[in-house]
Amino acid sequence: MTDLEYNYKGVSTYSKTKGINNLVLAHQTEIEEVNNIPCFFWGSLTDPYVTAKCWSTIAKVVRSSFGPIPPSLRDPIVSAGSERLRFEGFSSCNGVYVRLDMKPEAVDGEFIANGTTNVDFNDPMLNALNAIQKNEKVTLAVGQQDVQVITSKAKVVEKKVTLPMRWIKGLTSVQLYLADMDLKFELNKIQTIQLFQSLPKGNVKGDFFITKRAGKFMFSTLATADSVRIGGVQRLRLLEGILAIVDKIFIYESDDKQTCAVVCEFGKMQLLMAFSPDSYRGFSGEGNVLETMTENLPIEWVYGLNSLLKSNEMFDPTMLSIENDIDFGTMDNLTSNLSSMGLLGYDLSEKAHFYRRLPFKTERILSLNPRLKNAKKLIDNEEVEIVERKADYIEAKVKGSGVVHKVIIDNTSQRCTCDWFTAYQGKRGICKHILAVKMTIS
């Protein structure tokens, strides 16, 4: 293949593969550019009562807070495309992530365009949702500037608002936690109700675990080999409004047994609720996303891939590699960059990523991740020294504040002598010193 050079807005990109060059040439619009089509979806709900209950649950989540930040957000993100609608958001503390996946059979209407908006769920909307009956006709319109819900009794229009910065930070990391989860338990309706009847009362402290004894699920303060840890168990009360109508629930747990998620199945739709390790820890405060940002790729490549994808479309990197003649290694790096920018979500049931468009500039990610910013500064100031480098072992010295830290990266672990690593042992992402070393050797 011939090396080709392509200039994009004054930036010279030297592409080593035909596929990447074609990807850049295919780029038509930037991620932050606004879609000119005002309406994404217009149609009716086929199960308005269940949909309304799920929307009310989302509103309950985004109006809640379990940490030091008081409740202040009410703004679900709405994505339309690929015959699906998705509503998602975070609690104000960013410790609870919620998403409603509406399957094609949940709506009867027309998907006019692909796009994403972010709107308030104010009191008029909540009042309208609470009044919806099972057989009532409800019309939904999702547009670039607003979301409309029209019932036999009311018409509510919620206008677009600015996407909260904390949510952007949460979206860049929560899918990494979801992708690390495995299914642990499946509960039918009766088992679900029995489980929540044993939910501890009040604002309890300490760890609780979902466990199964003699065919019955319950909460316990004792961990067993197959139990699931729930940090901040009182947060599960956010699900109480939909327990009576749920068909079954699935409980997932991360490999490190710190985070978990509950998926509620309703047939035509699913509602996912994921919980950070503890009430005081929000997803936006976690640093796992930094692991995927150690290799800088030309942003034009990301823009090019963005131009090929639709909102809510399942993301299959293998097929994209084959169809667009891009080598698998480059596609892996592109996938990591899309994830770290919040442009990929993760579907637990499908065990696959999906794509979403978000209205923010990619440059904001650096400012939202101080460890990444500080790691780049260490490299720019030439404060990273590689002492030893082998195939399975890296040792480096990194300058700190009045001290030199020792970083070791091998096949089994990565360690640093700094206070951050000593305090968290990698549980809240890698420190800026390890990150700087990984960026240096990548």
Side-chain angles (χ1 to χ4, degrees):
M1 296 182 182
T2 304
D3 288 349
L4 298 172
E5 191 173 54
Y6 178 72
N7 188 274
Y8 175 83
K9 293 188 177 180
V11 179
S12 180
T13 301
Y14 200 68
S15 179
K16 294 184 178 181
T17 69
K18 171 185 173 184
I20 285 297
N21 186 67
N22 289 340
L23 194 63
V24 175
L25 290 171
H27 165 62
Q28 298 296 323
T29 58
E30 295 185 5
I31 292 173
E32 59 268 28
E33 184 174 314
V34 177
N35 196 319
N36 290 322
I37 299 177
C39 187
F40 303 140
F41 171 81
W42 178 277
S44 59
L45 305 177
T46 61
D47 199 338
Y49 181 76
V50 171
T51 305
K53 287 293 185 183
C54 290
W55 284 346
S56 295
T57 299
I58 293 174
K60 188 176 180 181
V61 172
V62 302
R63 285 171 170 242
S64 67
S65 179
F66 300 91
I69 299 173
S72 59
L73 305 177
R74 301 176 295 187
D75 319 325
I77 302 166
V78 188
S79 299
S82 303
E83 304 301 314
R84 291 175 179 265
L85 291 168
R86 283 190 167 97
F87 292 72
E88 55 188 324
F90 290 90
S91 58
S92 288
C93 59
N94 264 83
V96 182
Y97 168 72
V98 63
R99 189 181 74 233
L100 176 65
D101 299 327
M102 300 180 67
K103 303 173 185 178
E105 55 267 30
V107 292
D108 182 12
E110 182 179 2
F111 285 85
I112 303 166
N114 298 282
T116 302
T117 190
N118 188 58
V119 299
D120 268 335
F121 262 21
N122 287 315
D123 290 338
M125 175 66 81
L126 295 179
N127 293 336
L129 296 180
N130 290 331
I132 290 175
Q133 302 299 311
K134 291 186 177 181
N135 297 320
E136 185 173 357
K137 179 175 175 58
V138 178
T139 300
L140 171 68
V142 178
Q144 180 190 105
Q145 298 299 328
D146 58 43
V147 169
Q148 300 181 35
V149 174
I150 305 169
T151 71
S152 59
K153 299 178 286 292
K155 175 181 178 180
V156 182
V157 180
E158 297 290 9
K159 297 294 185 180
K160 181 180 179 179
V161 294
T162 302
L163 189 65
M165 187 174 294
R166 290 200 301 278
W167 286 18
I168 297 175
K169 294 173 70 176
L171 290 172
T172 64
S173 59
V174 69
Q175 84 284 344
L176 299 175
Y177 290 87
L178 294 176
D180 186 46
M181 291 184 181
D182 292 313
L183 178 63
K184 299 292 291 187
F185 297 129
E186 177 181 339
L187 288 69
N188 60 32
K189 181 188 288 287
I190 294 176
Q191 291 172 324
T192 299
I193 293 174
Q194 289 175 337
L195 172 65
F196 276 80
Q197 285 175 341
S198 69
L199 186 63
K201 304 295 183 182
N203 190 13
V204 296
K205 297 182 180 181
D207 289 343
F208 277 80
F209 302 86
I210 297 178
T211 187
K212 186 177 183 181
R213 297 176 186 169
K216 183 178 180 180
F217 293 91
M218 63 186 67
F219 293 99
S220 173
T221 56
L222 300 177
T224 61
D226 61 348
S227 63
V228 174
R229 177 184 176 272
I230 306 289
V233 69
Q234 68 273 15
R235 297 182 292 179
L236 284 173
R237 294 196 184 95
L238 293 167
L239 289 165
E240 289 179 336
I242 55 176
L243 296 179
I245 57 174
V246 72
D247 293 335
K248 62 177 67 174
I249 68 170
F250 303 90
I251 299 175
Y252 293 80
E253 185 181 43
S254 61
D255 187 57
D256 63 3
K257 296 185 179 299
Q258 292 297 301
T259 56
C260 67
V262 177
V263 176
C264 301
E265 175 65 53
F266 302 96
K268 297 180 180 180
M269 62 198 80
Q270 288 183 331
L271 186 135
L272 176 148
M273 201 173 290
F275 303 91
S276 63
D278 294 289
S279 296
Y280 60 87
R281 289 171 60 179
F283 284 112
S284 63
E286 305 301 330
N288 292 30
V289 66
L290 299 176
E291 295 277 8
T292 69
M293 300 180 73
T294 56
E295 182 169 350
N296 291 322
L297 295 177
I299 196 62
E300 295 81 16
W301 296 7
V302 181
Y303 286 155
L305 187 57
N306 172 70
S307 70
L308 298 175
L309 302 171
K310 299 178 181 179
S311 286
N312 296 331
E313 179 180 6
M314 284 298 171
F315 184 84
D316 188 335
T318 301
M319 289 303 299
L320 280 169
S321 296
I322 295 172
E323 291 173 355
N324 296 281
D325 193 19
I326 302 171
D327 70 273
F328 293 135
T330 300
M331 180 55 70
D332 286 343
N333 291 330
L334 282 167
T335 300
S336 294
N337 272 259
L338 288 174
S339 293
S340 63
M341 291 158 58
L343 296 174
L344 294 183
Y346 192 79
D347 190 315
L348 282 170
S349 300
E350 298 290 339
K351 294 183 179 180
H353 286 90
F354 64 88
Y355 180 76
R356 69 160 78 84
R357 289 183 180 270
L358 290 177
F360 63 87
K361 295 179 182 295
T362 56
E363 290 82 0
R364 295 180 70 184
I365 296 301
L366 178 58
S367 65
L368 296 175
N369 289 279
R371 268 177 279 171
L372 178 61
K373 182 179 179 180
N374 291 333
K376 288 178 178 290
K377 185 177 180 180
L378 289 171
I379 296 172
D380 293 341
N381 293 340
E382 298 182 348
E383 295 178 338
V384 178
E385 177 188 353
I386 304 300
V387 177
E388 184 176 353
R389 181 170 184 172
K390 298 178 182 178
D392 56 355
Y393 181 85
I394 301 293
E395 182 177 330
K397 294 180 180 179
V398 184
K399 289 184 179 179
S401 300
V403 67
V404 176
H405 298 295
K406 182 178 181 180
V407 172
I408 295 178
I409 302 173
D410 56 32
N411 286 338
T412 59
S413 64
Q414 44 196 16
R415 308 180 292 282
C416 181
T417 57
C418 71
D419 291 341
W420 174 272
F421 185 85
T422 301
Y424 298 111
Q425 298 292 310
K427 291 182 178 179
R428 301 198 69 177
I430 56 180
C431 66
K432 64 182 180 182
H433 311 104
I434 294 176
L435 179 59
V437 172
K438 296 184 74 171
M439 293 175 70
T440 300
I441 64 176
S442 64

